[in-house]
Amino acid sequence: KFDSFMSVDFTEVGGVNYTADIMNNMDRANEKYIFDEITRRDAKLADEIRKKMFVFEDITFLDPMSIQRFLRDVETRDLVYALKGANQEVSNVIFVNMSNRMSETIRADLEYTHNVRLKDVEEAQQRIVAVIRSLEESGEVVITKGGKDEIIDSYYHKLNLQRTHCLITRENGSGDNQR
């Protein structure tokens, strides 16, 4: 009888996760200003929030399949604008995971796209990050920033299984697999 009389709801209000989510949806200028202020007051807290965030430059932490997956959902114009402001490492990771045809198209668009405002670059990068976050929420992309999650890559898992099979085959003296 007492259970039906009282119910308790534990809802987290605020905290590091909430702050990181807000910061992820903020423009870069404000994000930098807020981080500078938080760092000035509590560097450990600022670092904790940063670890929970995913920003455009963190694309380099994604596995190839995740990059290829989000590239299918991103608008070409957003990708071109985002790459205009991207560092070389991010650009390389993205181009390596594109088809040749898509890479040629994006490179041509980059060559002919001039006078892009920083605001437009940042907005395009934020839209791409939003696509990645949405895919993560649906389980289609895995973000492993910080290396805390251990992910078994199916390609390497299959490769290890093949090696194990070959070793077992050789030990049993059957087959002429020389892998």
Side-chain angles (χ1 to χ4, degrees), residues 96-130:
V96 163
N97 285 287
M98 284 183 191
S99 67
N100 288 335
R101 191 174 113 222
M102 184 177 187
S103 178
E104 289 171 9
T105 301
I106 298 296
R107 288 180 196 278
D109 287 351
L110 279 167
E111 187 177 325
Y112 294 109
T113 303
H114 299 286
N115 301 327
V116 179
R117 296 181 304 173
L118 179 60
K119 177 184 173 191
D120 294 334
V121 168
E122 290 175 349
E123 287 174 356
Q125 289 178 348
Q126 286 178 337
R127 283 191 294 273
I128 290 171
V129 167

Side-chain angles (χ1 to χ4, degrees), residues 38-49:
I38 294 172
T39 302
R40 192 170 58 78
R41 294 175 191 210
D42 188 344
K44 185 178 176 184
L45 176 62
D47 189 47
E48 206 175 321
I49 294 168

Side-chain angles (χ1 to χ4, degrees), residues 5 14 20 22 84 89 119 151 171:
F5 175 71
I22 290 171
K84 275 290 193 185
E89 184 181 9
K119 177 184 173 191
I151 305 299
E171 286 175 5

Side-chain angles (χ1 to χ4, degrees), residues 24-164:
N24 271 328
N25 292 297
M26 186 175 289
D27 65 273
R28 294 263 177 125
N30 284 323
E31 177 186 317
K32 183 183 179 336
Y33 173 76
I34 291 171
F35 264 121
D36 289 346
E37 288 300 311
I38 294 172
T39 302
R40 192 170 58 78
R41 294 175 191 210
D42 188 344
K44 185 178 176 184
L45 176 62
D47 189 47
E48 206 175 321
I49 294 168
R50 265 194 194 94
K51 287 179 182 177
K52 298 283 186 179
M53 292 178 63
F54 183 86
V55 294
F56 185 75
E57 290 76 15
D58 292 334
I59 286 173
T60 59
F61 293 111
L62 297 175
D63 65 280
M65 289 186 70
S66 294
I67 295 170
Q68 292 162 19
R69 176 62 189 94
F70 87 75
L71 284 173
R72 288 184 287 192
D73 287 3
V74 170
E75 295 290 328
T76 302
R77 183 174 182 219
D78 282 344
L79 193 54
V80 170
Y81 277 31
L83 288 171
K84 275 290 193 185
N87 64 43
Q88 193 61 47
E89 184 181 9
V90 173
S91 294
N92 289 343
V93 166
I94 289 175
F95 280 116
V96 163
N97 285 287
M98 284 183 191
S99 67
N100 288 335
R101 191 174 113 222
M102 184 177 187
S103 178
E104 289 171 9
T105 301
I106 298 296
R107 288 180 196 278
D109 287 351
L110 279 167
E111 187 177 325
Y112 294 109
T113 303
H114 299 286
N115 301 327
V116 179
R117 296 181 304 173
L118 179 60
K119 177 184 173 191
D120 294 334
V121 168
E122 290 175 349
E123 287 174 356
Q125 289 178 348
Q126 286 178 337
R127 283 191 294 273
I128 290 171
V129 167
V131 167
I132 294 169
R133 278 196 220 112
S134 172
L135 290 169
E136 181 190 30
E137 286 175 17
S138 68
E140 295 182 61
V141 165
V142 176
I143 297 174
T144 58
K145 184 179 175 186
K148 291 181 182 175
D149 294 332
E150 291 186 26
I151 305 299
I152 297 176
D153 185 343
S154 59
Y155 170 77
Y156 293 108
H157 181 68
K158 288 177 188 173
L159 187 62
N160 285 333
L161 287 176
Q162 288 173 345
R163 286 183 184 154
T164 303

